[in-house]
Amino acid sequence: MWSINEPALAPWTTDPIVPDEVLYEFDGPLTFTASFGLFSAFFHNIGQRGNSSFFAVVQISTEALDALRRGALSVRGALNSPNIWILDLGRNFSVQRYWSCEQEDFPEKLLPKRNVPIHAGMDLAPDSLEEANAYFSIAFTGEKLKRKSIPFNILKSLIDDSYEAARRILSPAYMAGAKSGTFDFPARAIPGSLILTLDQPTINEVYLRKRTIDAPLSVDDAQVSFEKQRDIFLGDTATLVAQASGGKLSDDLAEQHFALLNNLQKIIPSDDNKIEGVVFTARSGEATTSVAVNERAGTTMHRAFKRIERRSVTDIGRIEIVNASSETFVYRSSRERQVTCSVSHETFKRLEATGNLRHGSIVRVKGHITTRQKRDAMIVEEVIALVPPPPPTIPQ
């Protein structure tokens, strides 16, 4: 680990550092860029001692600098480089000495806080350019999630859980139960804690046509529905986090987002895993949106879900079976569970009369769910929505 007590290198120049663009200042430039020969360098103040100001310095690309300016990349993300120089600058910004170290050896306490943008008025920002540019990304942090290595069992668990969660939270309700042959997300794992980035889904046109045979969707239409679902996920998760960050999540809000909380259980911080934080990020055009779930919010969301599991909850899914003789229907939940719904005689007849109680329709129901090995069961209290295919994306 680097420290100021390590042997320093002598200045390579007697000329003072001249900022090209000052990004943040307080009694002088604290975060700025400067030209070093043919490349641009990013400077961020990490402390002062006597007449010395210490700066962490990295080479920065035009793309990263632009993302930083518009709030699509955090200050920490701008410093995300394999090599970091630490410069000791005098009062006139002359180089007094400097050090070079790898990012793994740079003290965590000297780095900016995670997901903090360059200006206070901006929203949360991702800590890497890969996240900022991704269709969707999941970035985990934790004591055991190091840049150099991650315990194999934790790596396998997070990737498996992320795969399951991403397919559930990003796919429209009419894709519930669809296999990877119907759609999948090209993905990459990025070094640095654990960052998973997903590209726009690839959709098999033949399988899509079979799935939406009653009212066929084009691949372009399906892509739009995935984007809507992604945006709904980010918005709903932000709503949950805003309340959970205070240490309490109301039962009413948790009940309304039962399916979402269920799908998030294994990829947010809780008492049961090694995750300290997770950030979800998506880019749409020039806009980048991030939602961060820290330990407090994640644990609160996890406990709220456990608390409401046995209560009346709201769920959503795609109808797969209608059994007129028993006056029940089965839907495939966005939780990837089949649920047999029992309704009153009057309700079943009313639903039948609409013509929408059929295979492929999207249903949103409220009731008590009993978990069973093969297929869950629900005593339905209310049918909130019943939409024929192809449906609009319904908030969870």
Side-chain angles (χ1 to χ4, degrees):
M1 189 69 68
W2 175 85
S3 78
I4 197 173
N5 298 318
E6 290 188 7
L9 299 170
W12 69 92
T13 179
T14 58
D15 296 331
I17 300 296
V18 180
D20 291 335
E21 179 183 0
V22 177
L23 298 162
Y24 184 80
E25 61 181 323
F26 184 79
D27 290 337
L30 296 180
T31 305
F32 60 90
T33 62
S35 298
F36 278 7
L38 297 177
F39 71 84
S40 182
F42 177 72
F43 287 68
H44 180 70
N45 186 276
I46 57 174
Q48 289 184 282
R49 179 181 294 183
N51 294 326
S52 295
S53 293
F54 295 91
F55 286 82
V57 183
V58 298
Q59 183 176 353
I60 191 167
S61 67
T62 301
E63 183 184 11
L65 183 56
D66 177 64
L68 177 68
R69 290 192 192 105
R70 58 187 173 85
L73 183 67
S74 69
V75 178
R76 186 187 183 106
L79 289 171
N80 186 8
S81 174
N83 298 300
I84 298 178
W85 296 283
I86 301 95
L87 270 60
D88 175 354
L89 303 185
R91 289 188 180 277
N92 66 346
F93 269 35
S94 61
V95 181
Q96 300 183 126
R97 53 181 173 161
Y98 75 99
W99 298 261
S100 177
C101 76
E102 296 181 354
Q103 187 180 68
E104 291 83 356
D105 297 324
F106 191 80
E108 172 74 22
K109 65 181 181 181
L110 297 181
L111 286 170
K113 290 184 178 180
R114 293 184 181 276
N115 307 115
V116 175
I118 190 67
H119 298 301
M122 294 175 169
D123 295 328
L124 294 178
D127 286 337
S128 72
L129 203 55
E130 290 85 358
E131 294 170 73
N133 290 332
Y135 175 85
F136 185 76
S137 69
I138 308 173
F140 296 100
T141 56
E143 183 180 355
K144 293 185 179 296
L145 306 181
K146 305 296 185 183
R147 186 178 181 88
K148 286 186 175 180
S149 68
I150 299 174
F152 200 9
N153 67 317
I154 295 179
L155 177 64
K156 180 183 183 303
S157 176
L158 286 179
I159 288 180
D160 288 348
D161 293 340
S162 297
Y163 171 80
E164 295 294 337
R167 289 185 63 85
R168 294 177 185 182
I169 62 183
L170 295 179
S171 61
Y174 66 84
M175 284 289 193
K179 304 302 182 183
S180 58
T182 302
F183 77 91
D184 207 351
F185 298 94
R188 293 176 301 281
I190 310 298
S193 296
L194 179 58
I195 302 170
L196 303 174
T197 65
L198 307 183
D199 292 336
Q200 185 181 54
T202 55
I203 300 173
N204 184 296
E205 187 174 6
V206 174
Y207 290 168
L208 174 65
R209 193 180 303 119
K210 290 179 179 179
R211 178 163 281 268
T212 60
I213 192 168
D214 293 328
L217 281 179
S218 69
V219 170
D220 288 344
D221 288 338
Q223 292 287 9
V224 170
S225 65
F226 271 90
E227 291 175 13
K228 289 181 179 179
Q229 182 62 34
R230 179 194 62 182
D231 294 343
I232 287 170
F233 162 73
L234 290 171
D236 287 351
T237 303
T239 298
L240 292 171
V241 169
Q243 190 174 114
S245 294
K248 187 176 181 181
L249 183 60
S250 71
D251 288 352
D252 285 345
L253 188 60
E255 178 273 320
Q256 293 170 26
H257 295 88
F258 169 75
L260 175 57
L261 285 170
N262 181 90
N263 291 335
L264 288 174
Q265 286 305 289
K266 293 183 179 180
I267 59 170
I268 59 174
S270 73
D271 299 324
D272 301 332
N273 60 34
K274 305 294 184 182
I275 305 169
E276 293 176 5
V278 61
V279 179
F280 304 104
T281 299
R283 179 171 181 174
S284 180
E286 290 299 310
T288 300
T289 304
S290 292
V291 179
V293 187
N294 60 22
E295 277 191 284
R296 186 179 193 188
T299 300
T300 301
M301 291 162 66
H302 180 78
R303 291 174 179 172
F305 174 75
K306 294 298 183 184
R307 193 170 62 245
I308 66 166
E309 272 189 299
R310 298 182 181 278
R311 303 186 184 186
S312 180
V313 297
T314 301
D315 201 12
I316 183 174
R318 176 176 183 263
I319 292 178
E320 295 186 339
I321 302 171
V322 177
N323 192 328
S325 61
S326 63
E327 297 187 333
T328 61
F329 60 89
V330 177
Y331 69 90
R332 172 80 62 173
S333 170
S334 59
R335 301 176 293 113
E336 289 296 334
R337 294 283 300 173
Q338 278 192 322
V339 183
T340 299
C341 289
S342 299
V343 296
S344 67
H345 172 75
E346 293 76 13
T347 298
F348 190 87
K349 292 302 180 184
R350 176 174 58 81
L351 295 177
E352 266 192 326
T354 67
N356 295 334
L357 187 61
R358 54 193 171 96
H359 184 276
S361 290
I362 305 302
V363 65
R364 187 176 184 184
V365 288
K366 181 177 180 179
H368 289 266
I369 293 179
T370 301
T371 302
R372 301 188 299 190
Q373 185 173 359
K374 184 178 179 181
R375 183 184 292 166
D376 295 345
M378 175 186 280
I379 305 298
V380 176
E381 299 174 1
E382 180 184 2
V383 178
I384 300 172
L386 181 61
V387 186
T393 306
I394 303 176
Q396 295 185 359

